[in-house]
């Protein structure tokens, strides 16, 4: 995200003009923009005009509109951010108070004006500004597979997208049916290879990981290299060394966290947010299994723990901030701030990452405590 | 009232086995099911003894029949609204009685489906007069002892001779049931209405041996495939020529010692790596049984495949590597498979176990080593729920052919071992009980497509009912109906397959893509439920990481597996007594027992454990280990 102009007061009103550069930036914008703010951007509006003959004429006009945000919607599949709200800028075509939906696109500047730039928003801004150089992108392409099922994920800086899912039924191999097994398996690998070529661009991703339980990954890797040789697929041949093999216990989506945990993959991504999140969540689960009373999850329990100044590490998903009403958002912001102030650490998980999803399943907020609190059990969740 | 489910060696006994007891609460439900046949139904229409003419085939049917004798067409197509009456198990029978359905049969069954909950409703409480004769029939037939259950349908009883050879008879009587059952949740009770045909029941002077499904499990490289290969060779199932071929090929690849294992590991992958990856099925005969060998993989990554094989097992052979270090590695909690396999086997209801301590030649047939293994493993098995009396310990060596099919010849072994050899031990196992009295249920283990004809073969073990050519079966989860063209057992065609038999069913008239491994073949009139949302009673195994709400796990049931999420943790149970200790626990730790709800990513065929054991056993895995084993207590939110 390129910040063109910044004009704000800490914990006060202000505006920022910025240009999203890649899809991750749209995600950041999604986190920043909350109902009540106002956004100004160039957009297209269908305007009805009365022609001389009395017939209505619809014309698409490019204009600059500023709207107060009512709802923000992020389209994962198409990477589009839609902001819906009422117009507040005087305009010859659009009345004040008319509803409009802005679509924020890449490489188009927009201005965000907020009433209160709280610490969280400033953090996001800071993060966006510093991560502008391409090297910081954690882009990792992961092919997670098992016999008959394969997923292709792209693990980015702040989000993980599922690019493809391939599922086929592969017969078992007994006696005469072996031939059928081989051909079905080969067809499966071909499908996965096609998806791989389509979605994995080695110019963007740092490396590709093939992960599976058993020997499927080795078989697929062999098949991949053979096909690349046969069909002279330059991208794969050149980047042979950037393909890693990792062992997981299953081919389902939650196996992705195991992939990120593997040592050789961890090396690749250790400087990124994704890795930190995975580590923090792992710590939480370890604590839970070792000493149940020193870990808690759920808003009520975490609040109680916070009241007693017991939180050492706070894990929270950004889901909870986004689109919440002002009071709730303020509460969570305060929570994060006070944990940081009291010497603890707070991790804001991106809900688009696997670890963020896992945390979201557990109500979205969890904490590792400084000292055990056994009476939390009695409190309703 | 005679008990319908004669389990023989009853693992339902409460006097042992702490953790797994809870799952075996069949008997209560059984006694309820018995009542079904007896309870006459209140709101029946008068069945006059006049006849009605079928509009399609113009056959004159008896008035009491709602479907045509010949063509199976319904007499009065029922409105769907009438069906839903008895479907809610929880509604009291009173609600059902109020509803009036036009078909006498379906009303009867809808009533009986509510029986599951209302144990109180009894024979005497009924005020129906019209079916007095039927009642009488029911009662008298109910009193008939013996293996034939009194799941009689009164209507069938008195109007038709028991001319059992023709399948249509059963189909006809069940057609009337079908309307109700298709939408019904009262599967367990409505199965009570199922009357097996005569050809389905095993003839006593069979001449054929009982079939026994034996799963071979154990830690990786303990010698499972080699042992199975040896046995097959010694019993003449593999010709000398074939064996020679295997040996030659094995030596060529530098894997001379795997020669016997190659009899079972047929794919190039398995041979190259020297492991078993999927369950191999082979057959051999002993004096008492026709044994189906299910050679499972021992590798940690292939436990899902092993689960698929072990669900079919009646008894198990746990192979242990006696060499120094290997046994200890196998017993390791997190890396070894010995314990995990033993626990999984037990959770599938297998209570007869033969522990084969293999590779005794490496330890010089030492008695001490054998006793050490027996002591250590014995403690574990006892804590898993195996009774000491049902575990047999056999030292042997597959490579040197000691103690397999004859008494040992090696002096060292003879000096201290006086017990039976392996084949004798297999013969001494108790015959497993078979649910022939239940409608057809066959979980599909494998699907083989033959591209030449529009045929597909489904392999699996029949868990209930029986099959023969020409019978129509319903394939779940797709819901399509196909016809059985032929049956094959052990690469030989066979005429009838009964519950407990491991067969390949060639199906015709069905789209080949609809038959998948993990599906179930069932009777068209007794479909089984498909669901995504299930309530389970589970036992968390030790060494498991804590389970929280939202934990992602892998859900295994018969041959199907799905990704699952823990939706809700209903209650924590006391592992010993089964009573509710705490409601809505925060997290579940090892060795705890709890009731939880899971939501699956895709639908699976599942039934409550009380109604169908094979379709009710589940195991949950995560991160390459088995976290929990359990049973389905409730199917929430069935798919249509």
């Amino acid at each position: 995200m390129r910040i063109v102009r910044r004009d704000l007061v800490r914990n006060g009103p202000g505006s920022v003009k910025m240009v999203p550069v890649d899809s991750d930036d749209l995600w950041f914008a999604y986190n920043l923009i909350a109902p009540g703010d106002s956004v100004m951007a160039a957009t297209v509006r269908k305007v009805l005009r009365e022609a001389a003959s009395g017939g209505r004429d619809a014309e698409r006009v490019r204009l600059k509109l500023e709207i107060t945000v009512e709802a923000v919607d992020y389209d994962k599949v198409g990477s589009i951010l839609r902001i819906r709200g009422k117009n507040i800028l005087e305009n010859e075509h659009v009345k004040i108070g008319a509803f409009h939906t802005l679509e924020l696109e890449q490489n188009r500047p927009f201005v965000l004006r907020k009433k209160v730039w709280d610490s969280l928003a400033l953090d996001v801004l800071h993060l966006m500004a510093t991560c502008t150089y391409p090297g910081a992108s954690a882009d990792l392409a992961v092919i997670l597979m098992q016999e008959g099922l394969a997923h292709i994920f792209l693990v980015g800086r702040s989000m993980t997208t599922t690019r493809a899912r391939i599922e086929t039924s592969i017969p078992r191999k007994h006696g005469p049916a072996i031939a059928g097994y081989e051909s079905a398996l080969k067809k499966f690998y071909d499908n996965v290879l096609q998806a791989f070529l389509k979605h994995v661009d080695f110019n963007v991703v740092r490396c590709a990981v093939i992960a599976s339980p058993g020997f499927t990954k080795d078989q697929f890797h062999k098949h991949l290299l053979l096909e690349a040789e046969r069909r002279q697929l330059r991208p794969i041949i050149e980047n042979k060394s950037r393909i890693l093999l990792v062992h997981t216990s299953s081919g389902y989506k939650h196996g992705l966290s195991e992939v990120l945990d593997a040592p050789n993959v961890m090396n690749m991504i250790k400087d990124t947010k994704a890795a930190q999140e995975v580590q923090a969540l792992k710590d939480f689960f370890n604590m839970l299994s070792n000493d149940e009373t020193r870990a808690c999850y759920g808003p009520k329990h975490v609040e109680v723990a916070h009241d007693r100044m017991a939180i050492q590490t706070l894990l929270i998903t950004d889901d909870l901030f986004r689109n919440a009403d002002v009071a709730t958002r303020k509460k969570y912001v305060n929570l994060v701030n006070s944990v940081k102030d009291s010497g603890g650490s707070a991790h804001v998980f991106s809900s688009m990452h696997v670890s963020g999803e896992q945390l979201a399943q557990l109500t979205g907020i969890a904490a590792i405590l400084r000292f055990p609190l056994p009476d939390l059990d009695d409190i309703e969740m | 009232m005679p008990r319908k489910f004669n389990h023989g060696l009853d693992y339902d006994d409460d006097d042992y086995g702490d953790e797994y007891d809870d799952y075996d609460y069949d008997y209560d439900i059984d006694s309820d099911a018995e009542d079904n046949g007896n309870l006459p139904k209140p709101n029946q229409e008068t069945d006059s003894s006049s006849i009605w003419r079928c509009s399609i085939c113009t056959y004159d049917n008896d008035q009491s029949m709602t479907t045509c004798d010949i063509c199976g067409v319904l007499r009065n197509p029922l409105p769907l609204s009438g069906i839903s009456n008895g479907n809610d198990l929880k509604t009291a029978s009173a609600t059902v009685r109020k509803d009036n359905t036009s078909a006498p049969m379906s009303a009867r069954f809808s009533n009986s489906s509510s029986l599951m909950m209302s144990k109180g409703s009894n024979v005497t409480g009924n005020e129906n007069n019209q079916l007095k004769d039927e009642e009488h029939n029911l009662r008298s037939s109910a009193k008939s002892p013996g293996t034939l259950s009194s799941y009689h349908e009164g209507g069938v009883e008195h109007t038709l001779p028991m001319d059992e050879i023709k399948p249509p008879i059963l189909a006809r009587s069940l057609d009337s049931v079908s309307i109700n059952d298709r939408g019904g949740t009262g599967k367990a009770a409505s199965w009570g209405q199922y009357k097996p045909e005569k050809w389905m029941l095993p003839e006593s002077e069979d001449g054929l041996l009982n079939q026994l499904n034996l799963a071979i499990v154990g830690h990786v490289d303990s010698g499972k495939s080699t042992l199975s290969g040896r046995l097959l060779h010694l019993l003449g199932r593999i010709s000398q020529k074939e064996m020679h071929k295997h040996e030659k090929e094995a030596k060529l690849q530098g894997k001379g010692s795997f020669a016997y294992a190659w009899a079972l590991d047929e794919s190039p992958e398995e041979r190259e790596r020297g492991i078993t990856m999927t369950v191999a099925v082979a057959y051999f005969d002993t004096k008492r049984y026709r044994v189906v060998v299910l050679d499972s993989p021992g590798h940690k990554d292939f436990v899902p495949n092993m689960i698929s094989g072990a669900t079919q097992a009646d008894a198990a052979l746990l192979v242990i590597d006696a060499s120094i270090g290997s046994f200890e590695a196998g017993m390791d909690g997190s890396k070894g498979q010995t314990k995990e396999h033993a626990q999984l086997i037990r959770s599938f209801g297998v209570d007869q176990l033969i522990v084969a301590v293999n590779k005794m030649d490496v330890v010089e047939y030492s008695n001490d080593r054998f006793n050490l293994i027996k002591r250590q493993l014995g403690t574990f098995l006892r804590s898993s729920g195996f009774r000491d009396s049902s575990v047999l310990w056999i030292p042997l060596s597959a490579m040197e052919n000691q103690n397999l099919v004859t008494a040992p010849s090696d002096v060292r072994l003879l000096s201290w071992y006086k017990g039976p050899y392996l084949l004798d031990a297999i013969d001494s196992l108790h015959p497993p009980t078979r649910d022939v009295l239940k409608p057809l249920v066959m979980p599909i283990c494998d699907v083989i497509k033959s591209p030449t004809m529009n045929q597909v073969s489904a392999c699996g073990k029949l868990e209930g009912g029986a099959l023969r050519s020409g019978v129509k079966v319903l394939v779940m989860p797709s819901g399509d109906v196909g016809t059985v063209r032929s049956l094959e057992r052990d690469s030989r065609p066979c005429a009838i397959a009964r519950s407990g038999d491991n067969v390949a069913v060639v199906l015709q008239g069905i789209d080949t893509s609809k038959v998948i491994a993990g599906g179930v073949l069932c009777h068209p009139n007794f479909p089984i439920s498909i669901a995504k949302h299930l309530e389970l009673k589970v036992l968390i195994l030790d060494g498991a990481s804590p389970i929280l709400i939202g934990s992602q796990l892998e859900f295994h049931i018969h041959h199907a597996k799905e990704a699952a999420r823990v939706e809700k943790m209903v209650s924590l149970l006391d592992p010993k007594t089964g009573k509710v200790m705490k409601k809505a626990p925060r997290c579940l730790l090892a060795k705890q027992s709890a009731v939880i709800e899971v939501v699956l990513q895709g639908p699976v065929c599942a039934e409550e454990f009380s109604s169908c054991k094979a379709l009710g056993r589940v195991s949950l895995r995560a991160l390459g280990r088995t976290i929990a084993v359990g049973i389905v207590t409730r199917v929430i939110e069935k798919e249509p």
Side-chain angles (χ1 to χ4, degrees):
Chain A
M1 182 84 85
R2 220 174 47 231
I3 300 193
V4 178
R5 173 176 52 80
R6 184 204 294 242
D7 173 21
L8 52 86
V9 176
R10 205 185 166 82
N11 286 327
S15 70
V16 174
K17 181 167 179 179
M18 46 193 151
V19 185
V21 170
D22 59 31
S23 52
D24 264 352
D25 293 334
L26 284 178
W27 175 256
F28 281 131
Y30 180 43
N31 282 340
L32 264 185
I33 301 175
D37 303 338
S38 76
V39 175
M40 170 152 66
T43 175
V44 176
R45 178 125 174 143
K46 220 172 176 186
V47 170
L48 289 170
R49 259 210 294 225
E50 290 260 345
S53 53
R56 294 274 196 82
D57 198 10
E59 199 181 287
R60 301 184 88 95
V61 179
R62 290 209 78 96
L63 20 89
K64 210 162 188 176
L65 282 184
E66 179 160 4
I67 63 171
T68 45
V69 177
E70 303 231 337
V72 194
D73 183 36
Y74 181 70
D75 185 6
K76 261 183 262 202
V77 179
S79 287
I80 302 176
L81 192 62
R82 291 195 184 90
I83 307 168
R84 186 179 148 78
K86 284 205 186 109
N87 184 25
I88 53 174
L89 193 66
E90 202 175 301
N91 196 294
E92 56 181 279
H93 299 290
V94 186
K95 285 201 186 57
I96 292 192
F99 275 96
H100 185 73
T101 304
L102 281 178
E103 272 190 20
L104 289 188
E105 300 150 22
Q106 294 186 18
N107 295 318
R108 296 225 192 254
F110 67 94
V111 180
L112 174 63
R113 196 185 305 275
K114 267 180 171 307
K115 288 202 192 71
V116 178
W117 283 89
D118 56 25
S119 61
L120 224 67
L122 289 171
D123 277 341
V124 176
L125 210 56
H126 181 73
L127 203 63
M128 291 195 311
T130 50
C131 298
T132 43
Y133 64 97
S137 95
D139 284 337
L140 205 66
V142 180
I143 307 173
L144 186 59
M145 56 200 300
Q146 65 186 25
E147 225 172 73
L149 176 67
H151 290 117
I152 298 189
F153 301 108
L154 273 181
V155 178
R157 233 181 316 152
S158 52
M159 38 182 225
T160 303
T161 48
T162 310
R163 282 276 172 244
R165 180 173 194 264
I166 299 143
E167 188 166 4
T168 52
S169 158
I170 297 190
R172 301 285 176 77
K173 34 196 170 163
H174 286 159
I178 287 188
Y181 168 76
E182 296 277 320
S183 64
L185 201 62
K186 187 162 186 303
K187 203 153 76 157
F188 172 64
Y189 287 153
D190 279 334
N191 286 340
V192 181
L193 176 66
Q194 252 181 349
F196 179 81
L197 290 172
K198 189 162 126 192
H199 295 287
V200 175
D201 180 6
F202 272 105
N203 297 328
V204 177
V205 304
R206 238 191 256 182
C207 69
V209 178
I210 308 180
S212 82
F215 303 106
T216 321
K217 59 184 184 308
D218 304 304
Q219 279 183 298
F220 178 66
H221 189 215
K222 210 161 54 178
H223 181 262
L224 183 74
L225 294 176
L226 278 175
E227 279 293 303
E229 284 297 327
R230 194 172 69 85
R231 290 202 269 170
Q232 285 298 305
L233 300 167
R234 305 253 72 220
I236 297 185
I237 299 176
E238 284 166 6
N239 295 303
K240 234 188 284 198
S241 58
R242 291 212 269 170
I243 302 179
L244 300 174
L245 293 172
V246 171
H247 178 269
T248 56
S249 63
S250 84
Y252 296 113
K253 195 162 178 217
H254 50 262
L256 195 53
S257 48
E258 274 179 71
V259 174
L260 296 177
D261 223 4
N264 43 358
V265 177
M266 188 60 105
N267 276 337
M268 287 268 162
I269 58 169
K270 64 173 177 290
D271 49 345
T272 61
K273 230 171 144 280
Q276 289 170 6
E277 288 180 10
V278 168
Q279 188 60 39
L281 198 61
K282 207 161 78 139
D283 288 340
F284 173 72
F285 280 122
N286 281 342
M287 182 58 79
L288 198 58
S289 56
N290 293 338
D291 187 355
E292 206 201 346
T293 51
R294 268 185 70 183
C296 67
Y297 65 100
K300 277 223 185 77
H301 282 195
V302 172
E303 262 180 63
V304 170
H306 178 246
D307 287 338
R308 306 206 197 155
M309 303 300 289
I311 299 184
Q312 188 183 321
T313 313
L314 178 69
L315 303 132
I316 189 168
T317 56
D318 54 12
D319 250 350
L320 290 179
F321 300 120
R322 208 183 310 119
N323 290 336
D325 60 278
V326 187
T328 329
R329 192 193 155 97
K330 211 164 173 191
K331 189 174 74 168
Y332 285 126
V333 173
N334 286 338
L335 187 64
V336 171
N337 284 338
S338 64
V339 168
K340 278 201 206 144
D341 288 337
S342 61
S345 56
H347 294 268
V348 178
F349 280 49
S350 163
S351 53
M352 287 280 273
H353 270 153
V354 181
S355 39
E357 276 173 10
Q358 261 184 308
L359 185 60
Q361 302 275 23
L362 299 179
T363 73
I365 182 168
I368 304 177
L369 309 174
R370 285 185 235 256
F371 45 84
L373 284 179
D375 43 344
L376 273 184
D377 267 349
D378 304 327
I379 305 172
E380 269 281 322
M381 272 256 276
Chain B
M1 226 37 82
R3 280 275 311 273
K4 299 304 170 315
F5 297 101
N6 179 21
H7 287 289
L9 183 70
D10 207 345
Y11 62 85
D12 302 337
D13 286 344
D14 277 330
D15 48 334
Y16 78 98
D18 344 282
E19 299 97 83
Y20 296 93
D21 273 9
D22 333 37
Y23 310 143
D24 306 329
Y25 52 83
D26 312 11
Y27 13 1
D28 288 334
I29 314 300
D30 292 353
S31 43
D32 280 344
E34 293 171 22
D35 284 333
N36 296 344
N38 286 335
L39 186 67
K41 322 313 173 256
N43 47 338
Q44 310 289 348
E45 291 172 355
T46 315
D47 285 334
S48 63
S49 50
S50 61
I51 51 179
W52 58 278
R53 194 165 216 133
C54 170
S55 45
I56 308 295
C57 62
T58 68
Y59 178 80
D60 291 335
N61 290 297
D62 196 308
Q63 186 69 358
S64 63
M65 299 311 299
T66 49
T67 58
C68 168
D69 227 354
I70 302 300
C71 62
V73 151
L74 282 175
R75 180 187 181 181
N76 306 312
L78 283 176
L80 277 174
S81 54
I83 301 164
S84 45
N85 302 337
N87 294 351
D88 187 0
L89 275 176
K90 306 234 167 45
T91 60
S93 43
T95 344
V96 179
R97 279 179 200 173
K98 288 199 200 84
D99 294 315
N100 246 325
T101 60
S102 49
M105 296 281 188
S106 46
R108 168 189 322 189
F109 300 132
S110 60
N111 217 9
S112 48
S113 61
S114 58
L115 265 178
M116 284 300 290
M117 297 313 281
S118 50
K119 297 185 197 172
S121 44
N122 47 28
V123 178
T124 54
N126 183 340
E127 55 272 13
N128 183 14
N129 304 321
Q130 298 123 356
L131 296 178
K132 271 269 163 52
D133 41 345
E134 292 182 311
E135 261 185 55
H136 177 71
N137 239 346
L138 285 169
R139 281 219 199 94
S140 54
S141 49
K143 289 201 178 64
S144 59
T147 54
L148 251 195
S149 69
S150 52
Y151 296 147
H152 293 322
E153 295 154 323
V156 181
E157 273 295 276
H158 71 254
T159 49
L160 304 160
M162 282 329 286
D163 175 8
E164 305 83 9
I165 312 300
K166 301 201 295 291
I169 292 179
L170 186 60
R172 177 183 349 127
S173 53
L174 292 174
D175 273 340
S176 43
V177 181
S178 65
I179 310 140
N180 187 45
D181 280 342
R182 203 127 292 144
T185 52
K187 280 303 168 317
S190 52
W191 278 3
Q193 309 315 309
Y194 172 78
K195 180 183 181 324
E197 303 161 36
K198 185 93 178 280
W199 62 265
M200 290 191 176
L201 302 167
E203 297 101 48
S204 44
E205 16 50 42
D206 217 349
L208 292 167
L209 304 164
N210 265 333
Q211 191 163 45
L212 177 76
N213 295 303
L214 186 71
I216 314 219
V217 298
H219 188 55
V220 60
D221 277 346
S222 49
K224 301 181 285 294
S225 303
T226 305
L227 181 63
S228 324
R230 258 291 181 183
L231 271 177
L232 288 172
H233 177 57
L234 289 169
L235 292 171
R237 299 297 291 203
I238 307 180
S239 66
Q240 189 58 31
K241 202 170 76 167
E242 273 180 49
M243 208 55 241
H244 200 63
K245 192 167 85 161
H246 289 313
E247 269 176 41
K248 217 167 51 175
E249 285 173 1
K251 273 209 187 61
L252 225 68
Q253 274 207 28
K255 293 199 183 324
S257 58
F258 283 90
Y260 282 103
W262 281 25
L264 286 148
D265 295 337
E266 287 169 335
S267 86
E269 266 292 318
E270 292 177 332
R271 288 183 171 180
E272 190 187 312
R273 296 180 202 272
I275 58 164
T276 310
M277 280 163 53
T278 55
V279 172
V281 184
Y283 303 81
F284 67 79
D285 291 339
T286 65
K287 279 190 260 108
R288 269 181 79 191
Y289 294 109
R290 220 179 357 187
V291 181
V292 180
V293 173
L294 302 159
D295 179 28
S296 318
H299 207 255
K300 200 170 141 101
D301 284 333
F302 298 113
V303 174
N305 292 342
M306 172 260 171
I307 289 178
S308 188
T311 46
Q312 298 177 32
D314 299 317
L317 183 65
L318 180 64
V319 184
I320 307 280
D321 185 349
S323 27
I324 313 284
S326 310
F327 169 64
E328 284 74 13
M331 287 295 277
D332 186 78
S334 55
K335 293 204 226 6
Q337 300 316 111
T338 309
K339 286 192 173 167
E340 191 175 352
H341 281 197
Q343 278 170 330
L344 279 170
I345 288 281
R346 183 68 193 96
S347 77
F348 294 135
V350 171
D351 47 347
Q352 304 185 75
L353 186 65
I354 302 176
V355 179
V357 184
N358 198 10
K359 305 199 189 177
M360 286 297 284
D361 48 320
V362 178
V363 294
E364 318 256 313
Y365 299 99
S366 135
N367 194 4
D368 296 329
R369 180 76 177 149
F370 181 72
N371 285 336
L372 174 80
I373 293 177
K374 187 166 166 178
R375 221 184 9 252
Q376 279 192 1
L377 192 54
T379 336
F380 176 72
L381 290 176
R382 216 170 301 130
S383 69
S384 293
F386 284 100
R387 265 195 294 215
D388 275 343
S389 52
S390 33
V391 179
L392 296 164
W393 301 83
I394 318 271
L396 45 85
S397 166
M399 281 313 263
E400 298 200 354
N401 190 8
Q402 288 293 322
N403 216 11
L404 290 179
V405 297
T406 51
S409 53
D410 191 294
V411 195
R412 292 170 292 181
L413 187 53
L414 265 178
S415 60
W416 55 268
Y417 182 69
K418 300 283 180 285
Y421 49 87
L422 185 61
L423 221 56
D424 253 0
I426 295 177
D427 272 341
S428 71
L429 293 170
H430 293 270
T433 54
R434 302 288 184 209
D435 286 333
V436 262
L437 308 171
K438 281 207 158 147
L440 172 69
V441 169
M442 184 179 117
I444 303 174
C445 173
D446 258 342
V447 174
I448 305 172
K449 297 199 199 355
S450 71
T452 48
M453 303 163 270
N454 185 19
Q455 273 176 15
V456 61
S457 295
C459 314
K461 172 189 170 203
L462 270 105
E463 294 288 350
L467 270 183
R468 82 179 171 185
S469 349
V471 168
K472 277 200 171 10
V473 291
L474 183 64
V475 177
M476 299 301 257
S478 60
D480 289 346
V481 177
T483 335
V484 175
R485 189 159 179 275
S486 62
L487 299 169
E488 227 178 57
R489 190 209 330 258
D490 188 14
S491 321
R492 285 194 296 250
C494 72
I496 300 182
R498 295 201 183 82
S499 165
D501 291 346
N502 195 308
V503 291
V505 181
V506 181
L507 291 171
Q508 208 178 23
I510 189 168
D511 192 359
T512 47
S513 61
K514 297 290 175 81
V515 184
I516 50 169
V520 180
L521 291 181
C522 56
H523 197 291
N525 298 319
F526 292 99
I528 47 177
S529 347
I530 322 175
K532 269 193 199 172
H533 193 169
L534 299 166
E535 190 193 68
L536 314 169
K537 182 153 84 148
V538 294
L539 169 72
I540 320 284
L541 304 176
D542 33 324
S545 48
I547 302 182
L548 310 161
I549 294 183
S551 298
Q552 310 258 31
L553 307 163
E554 275 161 54
F555 176 86
H556 293 265
I557 189 171
H558 53 95
H559 301 292
K561 51 183 195 268
E562 274 293 342
R565 209 187 91 228
V566 177
E567 176 83 15
K568 194 163 89 156
M569 299 197 283
V570 177
S571 56
L572 199 60
L573 304 172
D574 185 12
K576 301 271 188 295
T577 61
K579 291 221 206 347
V580 177
M581 274 200 323
K582 193 167 107 155
K583 287 242 181 227
R586 273 197 310 156
C587 74
L588 298 175
L589 301 171
K591 297 216 192 65
Q592 285 182 337
S593 178
V595 177
I596 59 174
E597 281 184 29
V598 291
V599 172
L600 308 173
Q601 229 165 51
V604 292
C605 306
E607 279 287 344
E608 293 178 22
F609 181 74
S610 42
S611 52
C612 178
K613 290 213 177 69
L615 297 181
R617 290 199 180 96
V618 304
S619 42
L620 297 168
R621 304 192 81 233
L623 298 173
R625 315 178 42 129
T626 307
I627 304 276
V629 293
I631 57 169
V632 179
T633 48
R634 203 160 53 104
V635 174
I636 310 168
E637 205 190 301
K638 280 207 306 201
E639 315 270 310

